[in-house]
Amino acid sequence: MKKLLIYILTAVLMAPVMTSCFSGRRSLNTQGGEVTGVSATTFSEPTPYGMVLVDCGSMKEGPAQRDSLWGIDSVARGVSVDAFWMDETEITNSKYKQFLYWVRDSIIRERLADPAYGGNEDFKIEEDKEGNPVKPHLDWSRNIPWKNPSEDEERAIESVYRTNPITGNKELDPTQMNYRYEVYNMTEAVKRKNRLDPTRRDYNTDHAVPTENPMISKDTAYIDDDGKIVRQTITRQLSSQYDFVNTYIVNIFPDTTCWVNDFENSYNEPYVRMYFANGNYNNYPVVGVSWDQANAFCNWRTEFLRKSLGKEGVYIEPYRLPTEAEWEYAARAGVNKNKYPWEGDMPLSEDEGCFYANFKPQEGNYVRDGSIISSPVGTYQPNDFGLYDMAGNVSEWTSTAYTESIDKMTNDLNPEYRYNVAKEDPYKMSRKIVRGGSWKDVAHNIRSDIRMWEYENEQRSYIGFRCVRSKVGYTKAKRKKQ
């Protein structure tokens, strides 16, 4: 069984190589014995839905001027980032609900195929058209019998719901909305020190070849008998590429109670009941999602696209959270002098008095800019890259871990610092960088060059996210002079 898993994993890991090097027909050109290269089929990536292209570029990351009032030092440094696609807007309640309902429907389909609920084998595919065994997977082409279900089918459908003990209403059971996924940690896998062949770990021939494999850490998770998610970090000796596959199980239901817990002695109960559930808020940014939940959404979005394309074995660049450097470069539209996503140092037009973003203009006055809490995405004008709400509305998770010395630790080429916190680590090591400020922040805190952080397991009423995808190849567009 272990060999089979390794074989399957190897096939998946080789997909990027296979698709980039051997897709399409190739011919070996010969010109009188001269080397002319091998022709290759190129693939023009279509624009991902709802995304805009952010061209590669460089900037001075961080504040360029010292601000004694806020205790901010000038820490600007030059960095460069490669091209990537970025969501035009923050992920909305509507888009996140699509993820939630997919998880709900997958649980129902699993139970419809379960013998305990009637065992309808049609909901799970275990053989291909020729009758050969395949890895069992759900048949999403078969509709759930929402109308006129049999007794067993009704039990399967109703099993994901619960009755509210206070109101008596039927509602989705948040505790069951768990999403399981695996991530191959390529960064660690390709490091020389982690090569399976010990002779290739150190090219210095004066050094002895190591006799033992290095120790590695991997994340894994399971659900115990009480239905609780148990996350573990395993440390063991490297034995195969499978050791770099991390397993996660994430409860993806947003914390709708964040509206009360974030604001003590406030009457925010209507938001608890309505903000995520009511369709009037569908086009508002989703909040109450942790860093782990945002990453789970990115993984699901990647798999959803891959399966929709019908190309299980083809590698596509994954959706992911932006790095801090990518986010800042995109927010400032690649212009060093921009403290905000727009020109100038004011959050509103001096001539017309129009606000450029949703924030807190004055003490106790949230509504002067037109919104008391978050606003529908895309309410304000986009920046020069075509990105909306890069300042205010909701703060946004990045993939970057926070540490006080991050600027000294990261490279100036695609800078990124990642740390997968283990359960036994100190809580402060779970901090992740958030950017952009929110509807509850003053103008200073929605600046594009200001770094803030939050614990990765926190779920706030003022933090959301958007996704990016790396661009494969690029055409450098002309930008304004910096």
Side-chain angles (χ1 to χ4, degrees):
M1 182 64 183
K2 187 174 182 180
K3 289 184 177 179
L4 177 61
L5 288 173
I6 294 174
Y7 176 79
I8 294 173
L9 177 65
T10 302
V12 173
L13 300 182
M14 287 298 293
V17 179
M18 296 291 286
T19 54
S20 61
C21 299
F22 298 100
S23 59
R25 300 181 63 183
R26 305 292 192 274
S27 61
L28 183 62
N29 298 324
T30 56
Q31 295 289 336
E34 298 291 343
V35 175
T36 59
V38 177
S39 62
T41 301
T42 59
F43 172 68
S44 298
E45 182 182 14
T47 301
Y49 178 78
M51 287 187 152
V52 298
L53 177 62
V54 178
D55 230 342
C56 67
S58 62
M59 67 171 175
K60 293 291 185 180
E61 183 184 27
Q65 298 176 340
R66 188 175 184 276
D67 189 333
S68 58
L69 178 63
W70 292 90
I72 295 176
D73 291 326
S74 174
V75 293
R77 65 169 190 145
V79 299
S80 295
V81 294
D82 208 344
F84 57 94
W85 302 99
M86 190 175 217
D87 281 327
E88 289 180 305
T89 69
E90 296 133 341
I91 296 299
T92 61
N93 283 324
S94 177
K95 289 182 178 179
Y96 197 84
K97 284 178 185 176
Q98 186 176 355
F99 176 32
L100 178 66
Y101 293 159
W102 184 94
V103 171
R104 178 201 64 183
D105 292 353
S106 66
I107 295 172
I108 293 175
R109 284 184 166 85
E110 285 283 359
R111 291 178 182 170
L112 287 168
D114 189 337
Y117 294 93
N120 188 342
E121 297 178 353
D122 293 337
F123 282 95
K124 182 166 283 190
I125 299 174
E126 298 184 353
E127 296 180 348
D128 61 18
K129 294 180 180 179
E130 286 74 34
N132 300 313
V134 296
K135 184 179 179 181
H137 59 279
L138 298 175
D139 184 358
W140 283 85
S141 66
R142 183 167 295 277
N143 294 326
I144 295 174
W146 297 105
K147 296 181 179 179
N148 303 318
S150 67
E151 184 177 341
D152 287 333
E153 290 171 340
E154 186 174 14
R155 284 197 305 118
I157 294 172
E158 294 298 319
S159 67
V160 299
Y161 293 90
R162 69 182 185 184
T163 300
N164 188 300
I166 305 300
T167 65
N169 295 330
K170 187 179 78 170
E171 59 188 18
L172 197 62
D173 184 0
T175 64
Q176 295 189 54
M177 299 300 104
N178 300 322
Y179 175 69
R180 182 186 184 278
Y181 69 102
E182 293 181 338
V183 175
Y184 178 68
N185 190 342
M186 182 175 287
T187 301
E188 289 299 314
V190 300
K191 289 181 178 179
R192 285 184 180 179
K193 67 177 184 178
N194 290 330
R195 287 175 176 170
L196 292 172
D197 183 354
T199 63
R200 299 185 64 239
R201 293 177 193 155
D202 187 350
Y203 291 161
N204 189 332
T205 55
D206 291 338
H207 298 166
V209 176
T211 57
E212 294 185 351
N213 286 342
M215 301 298 291
I216 60 93
S217 294
K218 64 174 294 181
D219 294 330
T220 186
Y222 66 92
I223 297 179
D224 65 16
D225 295 337
D226 297 325
K228 303 290 186 181
I229 298 174
V230 179
R231 178 178 173 179
Q232 295 178 327
T233 300
I234 300 173
T235 301
R236 68 187 186 196
Q237 217 167 26
L238 175 65
S239 60
S240 73
Q241 287 289 303
Y242 194 76
D243 289 329
F244 299 105
V245 176
N246 297 281
T247 302
Y248 300 100
I249 301 177
V250 179
N251 183 277
I252 65 162
F253 205 92
D255 182 8
T256 57
T257 69
C258 60
W259 293 97
V260 168
N261 290 303
D262 286 344
F263 300 93
E264 197 169 336
N265 297 323
S266 297
Y267 182 66
N268 290 336
E269 290 181 16
Y271 305 139
V272 174
R273 292 190 293 266
M274 297 294 182
Y275 186 84
F276 185 67
N278 193 300
N280 287 323
Y281 289 100
N282 267 356
N283 204 37
Y284 284 64
V286 67
V287 296
V289 290
S290 67
W291 185 83
D292 286 331
Q293 290 173 319
N295 277 288
F297 177 92
C298 293
N299 184 85
W300 166 79
R301 188 176 178 182
T302 303
E303 293 305 310
F304 187 76
L305 174 61
R306 182 180 289 115
K307 291 177 181 177
S308 298
L309 295 173
K311 298 180 179 181
E312 290 280 344
V314 175
Y315 178 83
I316 61 174
E317 279 297 316
Y319 291 98
R320 56 182 175 81
L321 293 179
T323 66
E324 180 192 27
E326 287 174 334
W327 195 97
E328 182 174 332
Y329 178 74
R332 297 167 72 175
V335 182
N336 285 332
K337 66 180 181 180
N338 282 359
K339 292 181 180 179
Y340 294 95
W342 51 83
E343 295 183 1
D345 295 338
M346 297 292 291
L348 74 165
S349 167
E350 295 183 9
D351 297 332
E352 303 175 6
C354 297
F355 285 91
Y356 296 145
N358 178 10
F359 65 108
K360 184 180 177 181
Q362 294 175 329
E363 182 181 359
N365 188 347
Y366 293 86
V367 298
R368 190 179 168 205
D369 57 8
S371 301
I372 189 169
I373 56 169
S374 58
S375 54
V377 298
T379 297
Y380 299 87
Q381 290 296 313
N383 70 359
D384 287 347
F385 280 176
L387 298 167
Y388 295 86
D389 300 317
M390 295 299 284
N393 213 16
V394 294
S395 299
E396 299 177 16
W397 290 111
T398 72
S399 61
T400 308
Y402 175 79
T403 178
E404 288 78 2
S405 56
I406 184 173
D407 293 319
K408 298 178 180 179
M409 297 171 59
T410 52
N411 205 294
D412 57 1
L413 173 63
N414 294 318
E416 171 69 328
Y417 172 65
R418 293 187 180 181
Y419 184 79
N420 293 333
V421 64
K423 184 178 180 181
E424 57 272 15
D425 283 335
Y427 189 45
K428 67 179 296 184
M429 297 182 72
S430 69
R431 293 176 294 179
K432 297 295 188 289
I433 292 174
V434 295
R435 285 301 201 115
S438 73
W439 56 269
K440 73 165 188 63
D441 290 308
V442 296
H444 174 272
N445 291 344
I446 67 171
R447 281 171 47 174
S448 304
D449 59 349
I450 296 297
R451 173 185 293 148
M452 292 173 283
W453 58 264
E454 183 55 270
Y455 294 104
E456 66 178 51
N457 64 342
E458 283 287 1
Q459 298 163 291
R460 299 294 193 183
S461 59
Y462 46 84
I463 297 181
F465 69 100
R466 72 180 77 206
C467 303
V468 299
R469 275 177 66 187
S470 295
K471 178 72 170 66
V472 181
Y474 66 91
T475 300
K476 180 63 178 174
K478 292 182 179 180
R479 299 295 185 195
K480 296 179 180 178
K481 291 184 178 181
Q482 298 185 10

